[in-house]
Amino acid sequence: MSADAKKVAEELRAQLPEPHGPVLPGDRHRLLREHLMNEIHQVQVQDRAEKAPKAGRPRRHRAWYAVPVGMAAAGALAFTFLAGPGQSGGDTGYHLSAAPVVKVEVGSPDGVGALMENVAQHAAEGPATPVGRNQFVYVRSHYSNMQADVGSPLKLKTYYRETWTSQNPEKVQSRLKQPGDDIIWSAPRAGDGGYLEDQQNQTYAALRKLPTDPDALLKKLRADAAYSGTSDQWLFEYVGGLIRENILPPETGAAIYRAAAKIPGVVVVEEAQDGDGRPGVALARTDERTHERKELVFDANSYDYLGLRAYLVQDTELGGKGTVTELQAVLDRGVVNSRDETPAK
């Protein structure tokens, strides 16, 4: 890694939470991770351009990019720690290990429509699980996220994560619990309106109001995702965020899956795995800037959403081809009446 790339990584890594400290919500951690990878890529490109012999061309100064607005807003969120370290599922802490390397399967656009139609029909036929305004969506996941130590191989921090997502975010706070952290996310302060609007857009009541025509829905989702970026990759990741830690109304869920099939650049990966190694088939997209592929993994028979896997599809400054950067396996999902409840078995 070049000295400039190391400097970029070090400065951005300083904005990431320490392994034992508070973490950002999942989508905001994604924004920062994306920004880190994009900055390193920009430095690589600039280094190559400056090293190439080009007579008469003046040397350009590197541009240092600001942290994205959505992520900066997340950094300003107030939060409250509950007493005692968070523990989930009997786990006593996180596990830090070298990032695994997986085989990069060839993805195909040919099966996208058929896969997502099967997933959509499964969603439409599923029982409605309405979520009241004073309730919470509870999700428990086995999760791994990237720990980028400058000058060292990429590592993953693995732990159990629980979220209680408020259905009335203006007045009632959500909760994040994982080893070392038990955080109540407060209402955003002045200037954080984009974050609050995002939370309001993802309540069960708001999701029920979304268009069910896939084309109209895709246009609406693109507009909603624009607070963090305008690329097709941002749109794909925004859709993934709706799926991962929400409960979707059946008709809305079906429409979201059909809309996802229309995002440019999506492919089907026939042999995929979630964060617990459960096999499935994935809807995937590769970020052209960072060369990171994100896979939304579904059970190949039931078409239930299993989890997420992300990895590099070619060698980069962060790691070699196939290096895993993020994992998720959804273990439990339900509706509860308080931030202290878990769904009845």
Side-chain angles (χ1 to χ4, degrees):
M1 183 183 289
S2 70
D4 284 321
K6 287 181 180 179
K7 182 178 180 181
V8 170
E10 191 168 22
E11 290 183 356
L12 288 172
R13 181 180 175 273
Q15 300 177 57
L16 283 167
E18 292 299 318
H20 59 277
V23 299
L24 299 174
D27 60 338
R28 295 316 193 256
H29 192 282
R30 169 183 59 78
L31 289 173
L32 185 52
R33 186 186 67 254
E34 156 70 18
H35 188 59
L36 172 110
M37 297 179 75
N38 191 48
E39 284 290 348
I40 292 175
H41 173 69
Q42 293 285 349
V43 171
Q44 281 184 284
V45 171
Q46 189 66 38
D47 281 344
R48 287 195 291 268
E50 290 178 353
K51 290 175 182 176
K54 295 184 188 261
R57 181 178 178 178
R59 182 181 178 92
R60 296 176 62 189
H61 294 288
R62 290 189 182 87
W64 294 91
Y65 298 88
V67 175
V69 173
M71 201 275 298
L77 288 176
F79 55 84
T80 303
F81 287 97
L82 301 182
Q87 295 184 12
S88 303
D91 196 59
T92 57
Y94 65 87
H95 308 281
L96 198 62
S97 60
V101 178
V102 299
K103 180 181 178 182
V104 178
E105 302 285 350
V106 176
S108 171
D110 295 338
V112 167
L115 170 64
M116 299 317 290
E117 182 59 30
N118 286 334
V119 175
Q121 289 183 12
H122 171 67
E125 293 168 0
T129 309
V131 191
R133 184 169 174 79
N134 296 318
Q135 293 182 304
F136 300 82
V137 171
Y138 170 87
V139 177
R140 178 173 175 262
S141 300
H142 200 197
Y143 190 75
S144 299
N145 61 272
M146 181 177 70
Q147 298 292 310
D149 294 316
V150 177
S152 301
L154 190 66
K155 294 182 180 180
L156 288 184
K157 175 186 174 186
T158 301
Y159 49 92
Y160 289 93
R161 163 188 170 103
E162 293 172 286
T163 59
W164 289 259
T165 302
S166 170
Q167 298 301 294
N168 186 6
E170 285 189 12
K171 297 182 179 179
V172 183
Q173 301 166 344
S174 299
R175 181 183 182 185
L176 167 66
K177 183 180 180 183
Q178 59 194 27
D181 301 319
D182 200 340
I183 304 169
I184 302 298
W185 292 100
S186 300
R189 298 196 295 255
D192 295 339
Y195 178 79
L196 180 57
E197 181 181 357
D198 182 43
Q199 300 307 296
Q200 293 169 329
N201 289 343
Q202 296 191 30
T203 65
Y204 190 89
L207 292 169
R208 287 185 63 182
K209 296 177 182 178
L210 289 175
T212 54
D213 174 76
D215 292 315
L217 177 58
L218 191 64
K219 182 177 180 180
K220 175 68 166 62
L221 294 178
R222 191 179 288 279
D224 289 346
Y227 77 93
S228 60
T230 56
S231 71
D232 292 327
Q233 185 66 20
W234 284 119
L235 175 59
F236 179 76
E237 296 198 16
Y238 182 81
V239 170
L242 290 178
I243 296 168
R244 288 198 297 271
E245 292 185 336
N246 268 327
I247 288 179
L248 302 176
E251 288 189 2
T252 303
I256 286 174
Y257 293 127
R258 291 181 176 121
K262 296 175 175 288
I263 298 175
V266 295
V267 298
V268 169
V269 178
E270 294 290 349
E271 297 185 14
Q273 293 184 348
D274 72 358
D276 267 7
R278 296 178 296 190
V281 58
L283 180 72
R285 195 181 191 285
T286 298
D287 192 319
E288 299 88 349
R289 297 163 297 171
T290 63
H291 311 294
E292 182 188 34
R293 175 190 279 176
K294 289 287 184 70
E295 296 178 343
L296 303 176
V297 184
F298 300 89
D299 186 282
N301 297 311
S302 70
Y303 299 110
D304 287 329
Y305 174 75
L306 297 178
L308 167 78
R309 183 171 69 168
Y311 52 88
L312 303 173
V313 298
Q314 69 180 57
D315 294 346
T316 74
E317 291 280 3
L318 282 177
K321 179 179 179 179
T323 300
V324 173
T325 56
E326 187 177 10
L327 293 167
Q328 181 210 24
V330 174
L331 305 178
D332 195 9
R333 190 191 301 261
V335 181
V336 295
N337 295 317
S338 78
R339 291 188 301 247
D340 297 316
E341 282 186 58
T342 58
K345 302 299 183 183

